[in-house]
Amino acid sequence: MAITADLIRGHTETIILAHLYNSASYGYEINKDIFEKSGGHYELKEATLYGAFRRLEEAGCIESYWGDETTGARRRYYRITPRGKQFLHDSIAEWEDTKKLIDILIQFEREKE
Amino acid sequence: MAITADLIRGHTETIILAHLYNSASYGYEINKDIFEKSGGHYELKEATLYGAFRRLEEAGCIESYWGDETTGARRRYYRITPRGKQFLHDSIAEWEDTKKLIDILIQFEREKE
DNA sequence: TTATATACCTTGACAGGCGATGTATATTGT
DNA sequence: ACAATATACATCGCCTGTCAAGGTATATAA
């Protein structure tokens, strides 16, 4: 039942912050980048994406502003804040710890053959 | 905000199945094992544990039976089924994929210094 | 003029995890 | 004798992140 998407739960914000680290971007583009970066294996659902933006902005990890496009659909850009960078560093450190922990916990003694 | 426990979400069933792979056990003991195996860094909450047992049993991944203790509190033992072993193998394969995917998605271009 | 791509956003439901609480038995300390 | 602790089970209601579905609007290609 559990598909990959289920295991990514909790990493959405980290993924977004990593994409914003060096340049501001907007929802649609971020999601396309993630899709390509994942080799077409993963893509955020829009509701998940915008939910994460809201939480990150409330937490002061990102700031948003409207782009000045004169043509095409309007875009809301997001830029990462110093707090967001700190949060990203902490999240990645936590991920490294969690990875090790899960690897230990799912070890099992294989039956002798 | 996201603490380690949040990132373990979705792995509870895999962790339990790994612990049951070679020998049946019961809730309290499994949780103690996990606590020790994690070096005291992680422990399942009881509600989480028993909820996972229920789901795993409904899915046919484990079977339960009462122990025959003549003293002390009764124990409900769980043993893994062939279906559970299959599920475990699949979950671990999925975890390996997910690990790689997340590692790719949280990469970011570090600023030049 | 219809479809597709770009781009935003919200609502309601679901599922896993958690805090709190409850039950019962056995052992250890005072 | 009594309290505290450890063992061992289980449930209830809440919280939170995710998702399916739906909605709005602009520009371009068929």
Side-chain angles (χ1 to χ4, degrees), chain A residues 41-93:
Chain A
H41 295 315
Y42 184 65
E43 154 175 61
L44 291 170
K45 302 300 176 295
E46 293 197 348
T48 303
L49 184 67
Y50 291 109
F53 282 147
R54 188 170 18 81
R55 289 194 303 275
L56 284 168
E57 190 155 26
E58 274 165 16
C61 289
I62 57 175
E63 289 167 346
S64 71
Y65 56 95
W66 287 103
D68 58 357
E69 292 72 32
T70 49
T71 178
R74 63 192 181 153
R75 300 171 176 167
R76 185 195 281 276
Y77 283 85
Y78 296 93
R79 80 165 74 86
I80 194 169
T81 63
R83 179 189 290 268
K85 291 191 180 185
Q86 183 60 52
F87 184 85
L88 176 59
H89 287 298
D90 293 347
S91 299
I92 288 177

Side-chain angles (χ1 to χ4, degrees), chain B residues 13 16-17 51-62 87:
Chain B
E13 299 174 15
I16 291 171
L17 289 175
F53 282 147
R54 188 171 18 79
R55 288 195 304 276
L56 285 168
E57 190 155 26
E58 273 164 18
C61 290
I62 57 174
F87 184 85

